[in-house]
Amino acid sequence: MPNSEESRQRSHKGTMQQVTAKPWTGQPYPAYKDSGVEWLGKVPEHWDVLPSHACFQEKLREPNAGLREKTVLSLSYGRIVIKPPEKLHGLVPSSFETYQIVDPLDIVVRPTDLQNDQQSLRFDLSMYRGIISSAYMCLRANSYLMPEYTYLLLHAYDLKKVFYGLGSGLRQNLSWEDFKYLPCCVPMLKEQRAIAHFLDHANKRIQRYIHAKEKLIKLLEEQKQVIIYQAVTGQIDVRTGKPYPVCKDSGVEWLGEVPQSWRIFRLKGVVANVTDLTKELDGDNIYLALEHVESWTGKFSTMNSSVDFDSQAKRFQSGDVLFGKLRPYLAKVVCPERDGICAGEFLVLRSHYAGLLPKYFEQLLRSKPVISAIDASTFGAKMPRADWQFIGNMRIPLPPLSEQHAIAHFLTDTCQRISAACAAVKREIELFHEYRTRLIADVVTGKLDVREAAAALPEENPPTGGDNCQDGTQVQSRCP
């Protein structure tokens, strides 16, 4: 049976061939030594393991006195980005004097609130000159270290959540004193360059793969919406897969023509807006808030009776259709098969017409033309919401009951298949993110030797080496 190290190499090889379509030549180094650090393990024999203060230094904060710099930077999702002017509302310009100036190739660290936030990525290598909150630390690599490699090492530690064992204070904030003795793997400068070049090359291909998969998910979701629209508006007969032979004008602008046998009703003529308020859960009832319902899918999770729900909570019955009436949540439409209680920001729509199937009605309300029409009617400055008077007066298509059953069954089956396909693609994306994390960690801590592989790669925006940029220079190359 292969050992874990052999499995690791085989995993890297197979995945990397998918990304690069080139043979993977990474392998362990010929000789290792004990790093003396339990979580770091063995490192290549010719590498040094040095404390952080020997590898980089904390940059003295340079206040933005006199508002010398106007470019405001933000560390978001592990990336330093320029904040656009429209995102700076509410900040008085003079407050930017307290910000610190950041230069290209500075490594920016968000050291605050480790106790409550263990998900965020906290490091990035700045590509810009600008200003950022003085609550952040700025580090600068020493001359015998490439900024890109040093960043990659810290980024690997960040991905592996090494820093959450450090920090102090009530909210566990990092300081330079906490940080300065963190062990760092230090190969020769030429090898640092090879590592940075290889990971930059690998990351670009992984990102292209992920981007292609994200586009596929978007196309699948669009396809699902088209299928729902065609089915609930009578553009296609789901029983035959062909258009209906005879159609008529519906008299509804967004609907157009409908099959001859379909009828048009005002929504309030077939459903009622139920407003039965309640103060408590009882029995096996479930509780639904807006955050429990997934947009566009009808999937939901539930909370138990210990939850504190709002004072406008309403009762619903199995078969009622819940419609989130706040603008960001209009597509949160669900038809639970159990009785329960929902937040006041849902409309509870209950059929009082025997010829309306709730599952068909649910799909109709979730179709994009209906959502778009309701969205255009929302009102309110801070939290725009839909109004029952408008929704109740909407005119909707109603097929014969047998066709509603056929449409509901067809859409349930089709949407489940598309959702399963999307879930599979999302899992592929997750696996590639996991692979990228493992690859970075293995390469920068010496578990894999990529010197030969890097030498065979074309130069694409080669790393900057150990050279520091002059103030105001924007760095073009970018590591993962």
Side-chain angles (χ1 to χ4, degrees):
M1 180 176 290
N3 61 33
S4 59
E5 189 60 34
E6 290 172 341
S7 299
R8 182 207 299 267
Q9 304 309 319
R10 193 152 42 240
S11 173
H12 276 304
K13 181 176 181 178
T15 311
M16 201 58 198
Q17 284 176 336
Q18 292 181 52
V19 177
T20 64
K22 293 184 178 182
W24 167 255
T25 54
Q27 55 189 345
Y29 283 84
Y32 285 87
K33 64 183 179 183
D34 187 2
S35 67
V37 181
E38 183 178 356
W39 56 265
L40 191 53
K42 293 183 178 181
V43 296
E45 192 173 49
H46 62 287
W47 285 24
D48 291 324
V49 179
L50 302 175
S52 293
H53 65 79
C55 299
F56 45 81
Q57 55 199 350
E58 184 180 23
K59 182 181 175 183
L60 293 177
R61 285 176 173 79
E62 183 183 355
N64 189 32
L67 299 176
R68 286 179 292 155
E69 294 295 332
K70 303 292 193 298
T71 303
V72 180
L73 306 177
S74 173
L75 181 58
S76 176
Y77 301 103
R79 287 284 190 239
I80 292 177
V81 297
I82 295 176
K83 270 194 170 183
E86 61 269 19
K87 294 291 184 69
L88 301 177
H89 294 309
L91 292 174
V92 180
S94 61
S95 68
F96 292 134
E97 288 194 314
T98 65
Y99 277 36
Q100 60 180 315
I101 293 176
V102 174
D103 291 309
L105 298 185
D106 284 348
I107 296 172
V108 177
V109 187
R110 184 168 72 85
T112 57
D113 204 18
L114 275 72
Q115 180 72 25
N116 297 317
D117 177 9
Q118 299 195 6
Q119 298 299 319
S120 299
L121 295 176
R122 297 174 172 272
F123 291 79
D124 195 24
L125 183 70
S126 178
M127 300 289 103
Y128 312 100
R129 179 175 171 86
I131 54 176
I132 204 163
S133 169
S134 292
Y136 292 3
M137 285 197 298
C138 285
L139 308 177
R140 196 76 170 175
N142 287 335
S143 58
Y144 55 86
L145 282 161
M146 286 183 58
E148 290 90 348
Y149 170 79
T150 310
Y151 157 72
L152 282 167
L153 181 65
L154 295 177
H155 182 56
Y157 290 176
D158 199 7
L159 292 170
K160 292 170 72 68
K161 307 304 179 187
V162 169
F163 300 106
Y164 293 101
L166 306 176
S168 58
L170 182 63
R171 298 179 71 179
Q172 198 180 348
N173 295 334
L174 277 176
S175 69
W176 174 247
E177 291 303 314
D178 299 313
F179 205 75
K180 64 194 296 186
Y181 296 108
L182 187 74
C184 294
C185 300
V186 183
M188 298 295 290
L189 187 61
K190 183 178 180 181
E191 198 166 346
Q192 295 174 39
R193 185 187 297 272
I195 288 171
H197 181 40
F198 174 83
L199 289 177
D200 183 54
H201 179 88
N203 184 66
K204 286 175 181 175
R205 277 141 188 80
I206 291 170
Q207 288 303 115
R208 287 174 192 163
Y209 177 90
I210 290 173
H211 180 64
K213 292 297 181 180
E214 289 172 340
K215 285 178 66 177
L216 175 58
I217 291 172
K218 185 177 180 180
L219 289 172
L220 287 170
E221 294 291 354
E222 289 175 353
Q223 180 191 31
K224 180 167 68 174
Q225 282 302 315
V226 169
I227 291 171
I228 291 172
Y229 172 66
Q230 290 178 334
V232 300
T233 59
Q235 293 189 14
I236 197 78
D237 186 343
V238 300
R239 298 166 299 179
T240 64
K242 300 177 181 179
Y244 283 84
V246 182
C247 293
K248 63 184 179 183
D249 184 12
S250 68
V252 181
E253 184 178 356
W254 62 267
L255 187 54
E257 290 191 336
V258 296
Q260 184 70 40
S261 61
W262 288 28
R263 302 172 67 185
I264 304 297
F265 285 86
R266 288 200 184 276
L267 196 147
K268 65 183 180 182
V270 292
V271 299
N273 177 31
V274 179
T275 57
D276 298 337
L277 301 184
T278 185
K279 300 296 183 184
E280 59 182 5
L281 286 168
D282 55 81
D284 294 328
N285 287 348
I286 57 176
Y287 175 70
L288 290 179
L290 286 171
E291 60 266 27
H292 303 152
V293 179
E294 189 176 297
S295 294
W296 300 109
T297 67
K299 293 180 180 179
F300 63 90
S301 57
T302 61
M303 297 295 290
N304 59 35
S305 58
S306 63
V307 71
D308 292 327
F309 50 89
D310 66 62
S311 60
Q312 297 300 307
K314 293 178 282 192
R315 290 190 177 276
F316 63 83
Q317 298 175 1
S318 171
D320 289 347
V321 175
L322 310 185
F323 184 91
K325 60 184 179 181
L326 294 182
R327 179 186 283 174
Y329 309 112
L330 295 178
K332 290 181 179 283
V333 183
V334 63
C335 182
E337 296 180 355
R338 293 172 56 189
D339 294 354
I341 294 169
C342 64
E345 296 302 350
F346 281 109
L347 292 175
V348 178
L349 305 178
R350 182 174 300 164
S351 172
H352 53 67
Y353 176 61
L356 175 63
L357 183 70
K359 286 296 183 181
Y360 164 80
F361 182 49
E362 176 192 13
Q363 295 285 4
L364 176 66
L365 282 186
R366 198 183 294 128
S367 63
K368 277 203 169 180
V370 173
I371 294 293
S372 297
I374 296 174
D375 180 66
S377 75
T378 56
F379 64 94
K382 290 187 177 180
M383 292 291 284
R385 64 192 62 217
D387 177 55
W388 163 244
Q389 290 300 112
F390 176 86
I391 295 175
N393 280 304
M394 287 186 68
R395 297 164 72 193
I396 62 168
L398 205 58
L401 196 56
S402 61
E403 288 184 44
Q404 293 181 48
H405 278 284
I407 291 169
H409 178 75
F410 170 79
L411 290 180
T412 297
D413 184 59
T414 301
C415 291
Q416 284 178 349
R417 290 203 309 270
I418 294 176
S419 294
C422 288
V425 176
K426 288 176 182 177
R427 180 56 184 155
E428 289 184 52
I429 292 173
E430 289 174 4
L431 289 172
F432 260 82
H433 280 300
E434 292 171 10
Y435 167 74
R436 174 184 174 274
T437 298
R438 179 76 170 271
L439 180 66
I440 293 172
D442 283 355
V443 172
V444 301
T445 59
K447 304 302 184 288
L448 287 175
D449 182 355
V450 298
R451 291 173 292 181
E452 184 181 342
L457 296 175
E459 285 291 323
E460 300 174 353
N461 292 327
T464 60
D467 299 328
N468 292 326
C469 295
Q470 299 296 320
D471 289 348
T473 302
Q474 181 172 333
V475 181
Q476 297 300 321
S477 65
R478 185 70 170 85
C479 293

